[in-house]
Amino acid sequence: MATTLDRPAVPTVSLAQEADDPEGFAQALGGSFERYGFAIVSDHGVPTEVIAEAEAQAKKFFALPEEAKRAYHTGKGGARGYTPFGIETAKDAKAHDLKEFWHVGRELPEGHPFADMMAPNLWPDELADFKQAELALFNALDAAGARLLRAIARYLKLAPDFFEDTVRDGNSVLRLLHYPPMGADGPSIRAGAHEDINTITLLLGAEEAGLQLLDRDGNWLPVQPREGELAVNVGDMLQRLTNNVLRSTTHRVMNPAPERRGVARYSMPFFLHFRPDYLIETLPQCISPERPNLYPEPITAHDYLLQRLREIKLI
C-alpha cells in the first residue's frame, strides 16, 4: 500500500544552464525524468509579469457568476473554453475532481490543415484583457517547452532539433485551473491520481501545497517548487515514444489541511502536445533485448488523445 512521505524529492534544475552547458543540463533534466517522471525547473524565462497578469485574468473569470461562466461550456470534450466543476474524473475513479477550468489552445490561421482537429479558441466577452494575457502566457510556455525538448532530445542521444517538427503547430493547451474552497471531507479530492496524456507538462502554481507524485518505490512524494518555478513532468505520449525510458508518473492534488480548507487553489498547467498527425512510433534507440518494444502498434497523436479523453469522461 502506498504511503505518503514529506521529504522533498524532485530536484531543481536551472534552464539557464542550458545555454552554457547543454549536455550537463540535459543529463540533469533527463535523469530526474527517468527517476521521478518530474523535474522542477527554475530560470525558465517566462516573465514574472506575464505570469501575474494571466493569473489575475483567470481569477477574474472564475469570479464571474455561474451562469456567465457556463455560457462558455461547449460540451465538446473541454478542448476550448470552460469546463464546469464536477465533470472531469480521473481514469478509473468513481468520484469527480474538485475543480473547474478554462482551456486556451493554439491560434491557427484560417484554412490551416489542422483546423478540423483543433477547435478555435473561445474568449469571455466580460473580460477585455483576458485573451491578450492568456495568449502571452501560452506563447511563453510554448517557448520554454521547446528548450526543454531540446534537452530531452540530447538525453535520448537524438539530434537536439529532433522534436521541433513533432510539435510544430502542436495541439498544446493552457489550462487555467480553479480549485474552490472546500468544506468537510467527502469522496473526492482536488485532482484524483492520474497521468497526463500529452508530451510534457509545464505547471505554474504548484507552490500551493497538495501536488504529489507516486514514486517507483510506491511512496507518494510532495512536488514542491518555489514561487515562480515550473513543475515539469513527462506525459503518456512521450512515455510511449521512449518505450517507458522516460516515465509518465501518476500524480494527484490532495485536499488541503483543515486550516487551509477555506483557501482556493489556482494553477496554470501547459500541456505541450505533438502535432495531431504525428505518428507516435517507438524510438529504435529505446528498444533493446532487455527492453522489448512495449508499444508495437503506432498511433497518431490525435487518435491517442481522443482515446484518452474518453477514458476521463471529457468526451
Side-chain angles (χ1 to χ4, degrees), residues 33-34 155-156 239 242-247 285-286 291:
F33 282 160
E34 195 162 340
Y155 185 76
L156 295 170
Q239 174 176 267
T242 65
N243 202 30
N244 291 18
V245 170
L246 300 182
R247 305 167 55 247
Q285 296 90 334
C286 297
R291 189 185 290 273

Side-chain angles (χ1 to χ4, degrees), residues 64-80:
L64 292 174
E66 189 68 18
E67 183 179 353
K69 291 187 290 188
R70 283 184 175 269
Y72 302 102
H73 175 47
T74 67
K76 297 179 180 177
R80 302 291 184 267

